[in-house]
Amino acid sequence: MTDTAHPAVYQRIAANLLQQLDSGHYAPGSRLPSVRALAAEHDVNVLTALAAYRHLEQQQRVVARPRAGYFAALQPHPAPGSGQASPLPAAAALVDLKSRMSTLLQLGDERIRWQLHMAEASPTLYPSAELARRLQSTLTRQPGLIGAHLPGDIQRRLCHGLQRIASERGLSLPADGILPCHGITEGISLALRYLTRPGDTVAVETPVYFGLLQTLQGLGLKALEIPCTPDSGLSLEALEFALRHGPAVKCLVCVPHFQNPTGALMPDEHKKRLLQLASQYGLTLIEDDVFGDLYYGSERPTPMKAWDRHDQVIYCASFTKSYAPSLRLGWVAAGRHHAALAQLQASSTLTVSPLLQAVLADVLDSGDYQRTSARIRQQLASQMHATADAVMRHFPKGTRIRKPQGGMLLWVECPPQSDTTALLQAALADGISFAPGMAFSAEPRFGHCLRINCGQPFTPALEAAITTLGQRLATQLLQAR
Ligand SMILES: Cc1ncc(COP(=O)(O)O)c(C=O)c1O
C-alpha cells in the first residue's frame, strides 16, 4: 500500500491538514481540497494524498462523502487546552441529514437572541388571548370533550368547516374525503407511506425543506432533487427530463405556493402543465400548501388540486403557519386514496385530539380564521419587505434575492465564494442564527446561500443583526481572496 510505502510523506501531509483543521482554516463541515488538488499541492501522487485523508478519516477528523469528496469532520474536537466543546451548537452538524432537524432545533438556544433559522412567525403574531378564550368557551359548552375518545361527530363538523375553506380556494371536495391530521407533516407522511415502499424514489424540489428530506430518509426513500428557482418554482423541463431518462419515480412532493426555502410561487400555467406531466407519466403529486394562506397580494393562489380532473393530487394543508403553530392541526384531501390514508392514520396516531378538532371547528364556524390569517399575512408582508431591503443594504455586493409574494422565508444567494455554514458558526457567537444553504439538499449544494426567517417584527435591533451578518460575510469573502 502506498501509505506504508511513503509513511513519512503521507503523515506529513496529514499533520499539515490537521493543523489547518485545528486552526479553523477549514471550518467543521467545509469541503476539503480534492485528492488530486492535495496531491498537486504537496507534489505527491494521488495515492499518497488519499492515504493522508484515510489516516485523518480513521481519527474521525475528516469524512468522506461518496462522489462529493472529503469534508472536515462534523463534530469539531475541542481546541487543545480548552477543556470543553463549544457550548453553542456546531453549525457543521447541519450538513449531516440525520442530525439536521435536531441541530436546527438546538439553535433555539435562549442565548441566541436573533433566531432567524426556522420557518415560524413571532409568537406575538398569533391570536393567543383570542384562542385562549375560544378554548375556554368550547370546553364550557362541551365539558364532555375531555372524556371523548374518538371524534365521530366532532370530526364531521370540522370537516364541513374545512370543506368551506377548501371551496374558498376553488376546491370542490366532499366533507367525508377530508382527513384532519397532525400538521401537514403527518398528511405528507401518510401519503408517502401509502404510495411508496422502502428503496423507492420520490421527486422533490431542490433546494428543499429539510424536514421533508428527513421524512424521506426515515421511510427509506431516495430523494430525486429537481431544480427549483425563486422566479417560477420547480423546473418542469428538469422534471420531464428526469421522468423520461431517470429512475422510476413514485411521486412528487412539491410546494407550489411560497416554497421553502426559495419563496417561489408556481405560475398557474406551470401547475396545469405539471398535471399533464403527471398524467402522462402516471405520477402522483403530493401538494404541500402549508404557506398558501400567507399571500401578500389581493388573491390567494389557487392550489393545483383545483385543476385535478384525474385524481392525481393528494392535497395537504395546515393551520400551523397561518393560525396557531401549537394546535399542530393540518388536513389532507387524498381523493381515491382517502380510505387508505385514514386506515394508516388509525394504525399509527389513531386520530387527532377531539378537543383540538372541536376548537378548530368553532374557529372556522366563527370566521376567526379568516380574520386572523389576514392580519398575520399583512404583518408578514411588511416584515418581509423591510428585512429583504435591509439584506440588500447590508450584505456584500453580488448578493441576490427575489422578494417572495407570500410566506415568511427569504432566500439569499450570497456571492459564489461565500460559505454560509462557516458564517453561521461565526454568527452564533454574535447571538444570530439563520438556516445555511447546505441544509436544503442531501447533496453539498447551496453552500453560498442562506435562508432568513422574516417572521419577526422588523426593528432597528433586527437591522443591526442583519448588518452584523453582512459584515461577517464581507470579512469572510476578504479572507478567501
Ligand atoms: C414546506 C413545509 N412543509 C411542511 C412543514 C411542516 O408543517 P406542519 O407544521 O403543518 O407539519 C413546513 C414547516 O416549516 C414547511 O416549511
Side-chain angles (χ1 to χ4, degrees):
M1 248 170 81
T2 314
D3 50 346
T4 48
H6 303 289
V9 183
Y10 87 81
Q11 280 172 358
R12 183 171 44 72
I13 298 173
N16 182 275
L17 269 171
L18 204 54
Q19 213 173 26
Q20 292 178 306
L21 290 166
D22 283 339
S23 70
H25 179 80
Y26 292 117
S30 62
R31 184 197 287 276
L32 298 172
S34 67
V35 174
R36 220 170 268 285
L38 189 67
E41 186 187 330
H42 293 275
D43 199 17
V44 294
N45 68 36
V46 287
L47 292 177
T48 307
L50 191 61
Y53 272 136
R54 293 223 169 111
H55 183 67
L56 291 177
E57 203 180 356
Q58 272 166 11
Q59 295 177 23
Q60 299 182 358
R61 298 302 310 269
V62 305
V63 223
R65 282 207 249 126
R67 296 190 309 278
Y70 282 90
F71 289 76
L74 302 176
Q75 294 301 332
H77 284 224
S82 69
Q84 303 178 341
S86 157
L88 287 171
L94 291 168
V95 178
D96 183 8
L97 196 49
K98 285 200 281 310
S99 58
R100 203 168 279 182
M101 191 58 125
S102 48
T103 306
L104 277 160
L105 292 176
Q106 276 173 36
L107 298 181
D109 187 305
E110 61 192 14
R111 286 163 299 171
I112 299 168
R113 166 72 187 86
W114 294 105
Q115 299 197 6
L116 310 178
H117 60 283
M118 293 299 276
E120 60 194 13
S122 154
T124 57
L125 260 58
Y126 291 111
S128 320
E130 186 183 306
L131 194 52
R133 278 195 298 277
R134 174 71 62 199
L135 264 160
Q136 190 72 50
S137 83
T138 300
L139 266 176
T140 308
R141 277 187 297 109
Q142 307 168 71
L145 277 173
I146 294 289
H149 291 288
L150 292 173
D153 289 353
I154 305 165
Q155 184 153 323
R156 269 189 288 282
R157 190 159 80 82
L158 172 60
C159 289
H160 278 106
L162 294 171
Q163 185 186 34
R164 283 196 307 278
I165 294 267
S167 86
E168 289 165 15
R169 298 176 190 177
L171 308 182
S172 163
L173 302 174
D176 61 5
I178 293 177
L179 185 67
C181 49
H182 296 264
I184 232 172
T185 304
E186 186 185 26
I188 293 174
S189 291
L190 290 173
L192 288 169
R193 280 170 61 200
Y194 173 64
L195 295 171
T196 65
R197 292 290 162 268
D200 283 349
T201 299
V202 173
V204 299
E205 295 147 327
T206 188
V208 62
Y209 165 53
F210 38 78
L212 177 61
L213 288 179
Q214 219 158 354
T215 302
L216 295 178
Q217 197 189 41
L219 294 172
L221 299 170
K222 296 185 201 125
L224 178 66
E225 300 190 17
I226 309 290
C228 174
T229 61
D231 296 340
S232 53
L234 183 74
S235 161
L236 298 183
E237 293 71 36
L239 176 67
E240 185 163 14
F241 186 87
L243 291 173
R244 196 172 285 172
H245 303 289
V249 175
K250 272 295 161 69
C251 54
L252 163 78
V253 185
C254 72
V255 185
H257 307 145
F258 323 125
Q259 194 255 4
N260 180 358
T262 61
L265 175 62
M266 187 188 281
D268 287 351
E269 285 317 305
H270 287 206
K271 292 174 192 164
K272 292 176 198 167
R273 172 87 188 106
L274 180 52
L275 281 161
Q276 279 170 0
L277 281 178
S279 269
Q280 195 178 334
Y281 290 93
L283 187 70
T284 303
L285 306 176
I286 301 177
E287 179 172 20
D288 173 344
D289 198 12
V290 72
F291 297 112
D293 276 347
L294 299 178
Y295 55 100
Y296 303 158
S298 53
E299 272 179 46
R300 188 198 198 284
T302 305
M304 198 156 55
K305 180 77 181 161
W307 293 285
D308 178 25
R309 302 281 164 263
H310 305 293
D311 210 358
Q312 288 163 312
V313 179
I314 296 184
Y315 178 74
C316 305
S318 174
F319 295 92
T320 56
K321 308 289 177 192
S322 53
Y323 187 67
S326 73
L327 289 184
R328 296 282 321 128
L329 285 175
W331 54 284
V332 52
R336 67 197 143 105
H337 308 302
H338 171 82
L341 265 57
Q343 226 169 48
L344 270 181
Q345 185 188 50
S347 69
S348 46
T349 54
L350 196 56
T351 184
V352 171
S353 149
L355 171 59
L356 296 184
Q357 292 200 46
V359 172
L360 184 60
D362 284 354
V363 167
L364 297 183
D365 288 351
S366 67
D368 278 1
Y369 175 63
Q370 278 81 354
R371 275 190 295 278
T372 305
S373 56
R375 179 182 52 70
I376 294 175
R377 65 177 170 258
Q378 278 159 15
Q379 275 179 261
L380 287 176
S382 85
Q383 291 170 196
M384 170 62 74
H385 289 302
T387 312
D389 291 345
V391 167
M392 288 319 283
R393 271 197 300 281
H394 301 298
F395 271 48
K397 204 162 144 242
T399 297
R400 293 190 315 173
I401 56 168
R402 191 180 201 284
K403 272 190 198 170
Q405 300 170 55
M408 56 185 83
L409 301 172
L410 181 66
W411 183 241
V412 184
E413 292 176 47
C414 304
Q417 317 85 304
S418 312
D419 176 348
T420 57
T421 307
L423 179 67
L424 174 63
Q425 196 66 64
L428 289 178
D430 294 325
I432 309 167
S433 65
F434 58 82
M438 287 280 269
F440 298 96
S441 170
E443 301 293 329
R445 299 191 184 119
F446 311 115
H448 66 295
C449 299
L450 58 92
R451 189 195 74 182
I452 291 186
N453 169 21
C454 301
Q456 316 247 359
F458 190 77
T459 59
L462 176 54
E463 174 148 23
I466 289 172
T467 310
T468 305
L469 275 185
Q471 286 165 347
R472 285 268 187 195
L473 182 57
T475 309
Q476 185 193 80
L477 290 172
L478 261 176
Q479 284 169 351
R481 271 202 197 151

